[in-house]
């Protein structure tokens, strides 16, 4: 006897719909490795319908005074709190995440972020009007860009959806968003929440649309003639493909891609405190975080002591079932990701040493043990490329110059951290590290008021903060004659 799979559907112009051609794909719970739902495998007809709905809704949404858009987002935030347990259950099933951690670490910041952008809607800043030519006054207008095609990832599907729709809607844009094909459930639920709020307040439900599908669906969205902007959080490869597709009609592009965060630990660091914080920042969400603390560079004088402490912390870190409140993280998101992480471990060079973990755990699902690998060199594959799993690598450096060289010596440039009691050294390192974020004596905290985004192959554009809000606006110069 088989259990019937739940049916997820697209949300287009205020209606839940199957794919026009009826195609579906199975959605698997990574904690069990078993399918629990089906989702539409959307094609061109579905994308056309969603874009048409967003395009039709745009003029009225654009022309609302900011206070009205704020009212919508504040009510959406309230609904997130009211329906938190539904969101938690959907995300836990989506990703196999521990329920307690979704409740404590994801719901509160998401609500806060929505409320932040609700406030940002009323804080459009720009240069004051002025006369820069005799007889003329110049004014700067800030306007929404239009319809936004947005693609969210599978590591934080719910939170990354918030990072995308909240600034876009606050700025006056309309949205078509596609969740990952492996994690559509929470985004479909968000559509129900936002749609109900738009309906209650008398706005077109076409302001927010959700399309489920695969990479081809995303390509159709990005290449569609309607969107003025394409935004993606995902892999470097996916970002490059989006940039290439968007270039065909010069769409604006916003990319938050991979990371390989260096964690530079100097000899004056409190080792016990650093190990405690770094292990959490490296293993949280199974290391499936572009900012994860997974590439440690430690001064040679404390290397052995640090590695021993880190390996002990790894052995004490627990992964497991979603209802176990003692676990730090759940499974890897999908079978392919488990295969990728295993591959990095299997291909380790002879000079590398596995200090802890290094293997799959459990009889079902995609769980992988907290892992520490030492003895690595700068050009090793596992140092240069993003693992996106619960694997922390350790290298030993001799001086500050070498630490900076190795820290910057990768193609990614999203986040980094420095661990030292020397204030001057911390300031030098924060200047020298070529990353969009530098944490000092901490790693991974984010706040709505500060920007998140990288350089190099980590992409461009910012999430969160007023800078993230700016990315969803365009600048217009208006000049008027003073002669009449």
């Amino acid at each position: 006897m088989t259990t019937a799979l739940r049916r997820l559907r697209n949300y287009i112009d205020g209606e839940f719909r199957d794919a026009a051609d009826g195609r579906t794909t199975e959605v698997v719970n990574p904690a069990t490795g078993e399918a629990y739902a089906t989702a539409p495998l959307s094609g061109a007809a579905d994308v056309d319908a969603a874009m048409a709905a967003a395009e039709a809704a745009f003029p009225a949404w654009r022309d609302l005074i900011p206070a009205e858009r704020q009212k919508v987002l504040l009510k959406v935030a309230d609904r997130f709190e009211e329906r938190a347990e539904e969101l938690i259950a959907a995300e836990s099933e989506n990703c196999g995440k521990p329920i307690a951690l979704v409740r404590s670490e994801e719901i509160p910041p998401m609500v806060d972020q929505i409320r932040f952008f609700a406030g940002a809607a009323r804080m459009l800043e720009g240069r004051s009007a002025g006369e820069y030519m005799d007889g003329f006054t110049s004014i700067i207008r800030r306007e929404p860009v239009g319809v936004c095609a947005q693609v969210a990832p599978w590591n934080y599907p719910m939170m990354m959806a918030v990072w995308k729709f909240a600034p876009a809607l606050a700025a006056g844009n309309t949205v078509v968003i596609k969740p990952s094909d492996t994690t559509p459930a929470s985004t479909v639920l968000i559509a129900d929440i936002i749609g109900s709020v738009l309906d209650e307040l008398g706005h077109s439900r076409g302001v927010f649309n959700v399309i489920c599908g695969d990479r081809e669906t995303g390509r159709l969205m990005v290449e569609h003639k309607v969107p003025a902007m394409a935004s993606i959080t995902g892999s470097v490869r996916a970002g490059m493909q989006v940039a290439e597709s968007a270039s065909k009609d010069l769409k604006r592009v916003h990319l938050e891609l991979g990371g390989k965060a260096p964690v530079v630990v100097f000899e004056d660091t409190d080792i016990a405190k650093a190990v405690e914080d770094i292990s959490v920042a490296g293993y949280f969400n199974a290391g499936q975080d572009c900012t994860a603390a997974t590439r440690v560079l430690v001064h040679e004088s404390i290397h052995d002591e640090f590695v021993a402490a880190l390996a002990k912390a790894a052995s004490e870190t627990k992964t497991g079932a979603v209802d176990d409140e003692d676990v730090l993280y759940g499974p890897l998101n999908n079978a392919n990701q488990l295969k990728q992480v295993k591959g990095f471990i299997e291909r380790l060079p002879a000079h590398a040493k596995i200090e802890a973990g290094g293997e799959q755990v459990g009889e079902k699902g995609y769980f992988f043990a907290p892992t520490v690998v030492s003895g690595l060199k700068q050009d090793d594959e596992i140092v240069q490329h993003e693992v996106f799993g619960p694997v922390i690598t350790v290298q030993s450096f001799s001086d500050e110059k070498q630490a900076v060289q190795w820290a910057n010596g990768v193609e990614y440039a999203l986040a980094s951290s420095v661990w030292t009691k020397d204030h001057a050294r911390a300031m030098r390192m924060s200047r020298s590290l070529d990353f969009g974020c530098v944490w000092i004596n901490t790693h991974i905290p984010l706040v709505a008021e500060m920007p998140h985004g990288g350089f190099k192959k980590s992409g461009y554009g910012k999430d969160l903060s007023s800078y993230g809000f700016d990315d969803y606006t365009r600048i217009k110069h208006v000049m008027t004659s003073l002669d009449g």
Side-chain angles (χ1 to χ4, degrees):
M1 181 176 178
T2 58
T3 303
L5 301 181
R6 188 160 77 252
R7 186 176 68 169
L8 303 173
R9 294 186 290 176
N10 293 331
Y11 185 81
I12 300 173
D13 203 17
E15 296 180 354
F16 284 101
R17 309 180 187 179
D18 295 322
D21 62 6
R23 291 191 303 156
T24 63
T25 183
E26 287 191 344
V27 186
V28 172
N29 183 333
T32 65
E34 298 174 353
Y36 70 90
T38 63
L41 189 55
S42 299
D46 307 297
V47 173
D48 285 344
M51 294 300 173
E55 186 177 34
F58 174 65
W61 184 252
R62 173 198 62 200
D63 293 342
L64 283 177
I65 62 171
E68 292 301 313
R69 294 197 296 269
Q70 180 189 50
K71 189 182 298 183
V72 170
L73 286 170
L74 289 176
K75 187 172 280 290
V76 168
D78 291 344
R79 288 289 165 80
F80 267 57
E81 288 184 320
E82 293 164 10
R83 299 180 66 176
E85 292 306 312
E86 292 177 70
L87 289 165
I88 291 164
E91 193 72 338
S92 181
E93 197 166 33
N94 247 352
C95 307
K97 294 184 180 185
I99 291 170
L101 288 174
V102 178
R103 182 179 291 115
S104 65
E105 304 299 323
E106 297 200 30
I107 296 294
M110 285 192 306
V111 170
D112 179 66
Q113 289 152 8
I114 296 170
R115 288 177 177 151
F116 171 83
F117 284 113
R122 301 178 69 169
M123 289 294 291
L124 284 166
E125 296 180 351
R127 294 179 180 176
S128 62
E131 289 69 49
Y132 302 94
M133 181 182 291
D134 289 341
F136 296 89
T137 293
S138 286
I139 301 168
I140 296 294
R141 290 182 56 87
R142 291 270 298 282
E143 301 175 340
V145 297
V147 176
C148 297
Q150 302 181 319
V151 179
W154 49 251
N155 59 333
Y156 293 100
M158 188 163 59
M159 187 177 291
M160 294 301 99
V162 168
W163 285 22
K164 294 192 179 303
F165 79 71
L169 296 183
N173 304 284
T174 54
V175 165
V176 178
I177 188 169
K178 188 191 85 68
S180 168
D181 56 337
T182 67
T183 56
S186 56
T187 311
V188 171
L189 180 56
I190 287 171
D192 184 55
I193 292 172
I194 295 178
S196 67
V197 170
L198 289 167
D199 198 39
E200 287 173 22
L201 296 180
H203 303 297
S204 169
R205 288 178 289 180
V207 166
F208 182 81
N209 305 271
V210 172
I211 290 287
C212 299
D214 58 9
R215 186 175 297 145
E216 174 64 12
T217 312
R219 184 190 66 79
L220 291 169
M221 287 173 57
V222 173
E223 292 186 356
H224 200 277
K225 66 181 186 301
V226 165
M229 179 175 177
S231 170
I232 179 174
T233 299
S235 67
V236 173
R237 182 184 66 174
M240 288 179 170
Q241 290 171 344
V242 166
E244 181 179 2
S245 295
S247 70
K248 295 176 182 177
D249 56 2
L250 296 180
K251 283 184 179 69
R252 183 181 296 197
V253 178
H254 182 282
L255 304 175
E256 198 275 273
L257 309 176
K260 194 69 181 173
V263 180
V264 185
V265 182
F266 286 95
E267 67 275 10
D268 59 347
T269 300
D270 181 333
I271 293 176
K273 180 65 166 59
V275 164
E276 179 183 0
D277 291 355
I278 291 167
S279 61
V280 171
Y283 297 134
F284 187 82
N285 202 41
Q288 297 171 126
D289 191 315
C290 298
T291 62
T294 56
R295 183 167 63 104
V296 175
L297 307 172
V298 61
H299 191 268
E300 60 189 11
S301 65
I302 61 168
H303 173 271
D304 292 351
E305 182 182 358
F306 185 92
V307 168
L310 189 61
K312 183 174 185 294
S315 68
E316 296 171 351
T317 299
K318 188 176 179 182
T319 180
V322 299
D323 57 354
D324 187 341
E325 296 192 1
D326 293 330
V327 305
L328 178 65
Y329 67 88
L332 296 168
N333 182 262
N334 53 74
N336 285 339
Q337 188 58 27
L338 176 61
K339 181 180 178 181
Q340 175 170 308
V341 173
K342 283 182 173 180
F344 274 101
I345 299 301
E346 291 166 358
R347 295 189 301 272
L348 283 173
H351 54 260
K353 180 182 179 183
I354 298 175
E355 303 281 354
E359 71 281 328
Q360 184 177 357
V361 295
E363 296 180 359
K364 62 180 181 178
Y366 311 131
F367 296 90
F368 201 83
T371 300
V372 177
V373 182
S374 67
L376 293 163
K377 299 179 181 179
Q378 181 65 12
D379 59 355
D380 287 337
E381 177 197 31
I382 201 169
V383 170
Q384 290 295 318
H385 297 282
E386 188 173 36
V387 177
F388 224 56
V391 179
I392 298 178
T393 65
V394 184
Q395 297 167 259
S396 174
F397 70 86
S398 58
D399 56 33
E400 188 175 318
K401 180 180 178 181
Q402 187 178 62
V404 170
Q405 180 183 357
W406 286 357
N408 290 339
V410 294
E411 294 184 328
Y412 306 89
L414 182 58
S416 59
S417 63
V418 179
W419 300 75
T420 181
K421 296 176 183 177
D422 185 330
H423 176 74
R425 173 191 277 159
M427 292 298 96
R428 290 194 303 272
M429 291 294 293
S430 65
R431 180 185 63 186
S432 299
L433 287 171
D434 189 20
F435 294 83
C437 175
V438 180
W439 287 292
I440 299 174
N441 294 326
T442 188
H443 193 109
I444 225 165
L446 295 169
V447 293
E449 295 85 351
M450 290 292 111
H452 175 80
F455 315 135
K456 294 161 55 174
K457 286 191 176 179
S458 289
Y460 43 80
K462 298 296 181 183
D463 289 311
L464 303 177
S465 80
S466 61
Y467 300 99
F469 182 69
D470 288 349
D471 281 355
Y472 286 94
T473 67
R474 65 184 189 180
I475 305 298
K476 178 185 287 183
H477 171 221
V478 179
M479 181 179 257
T480 182
S481 170
L482 300 179
D483 289 340

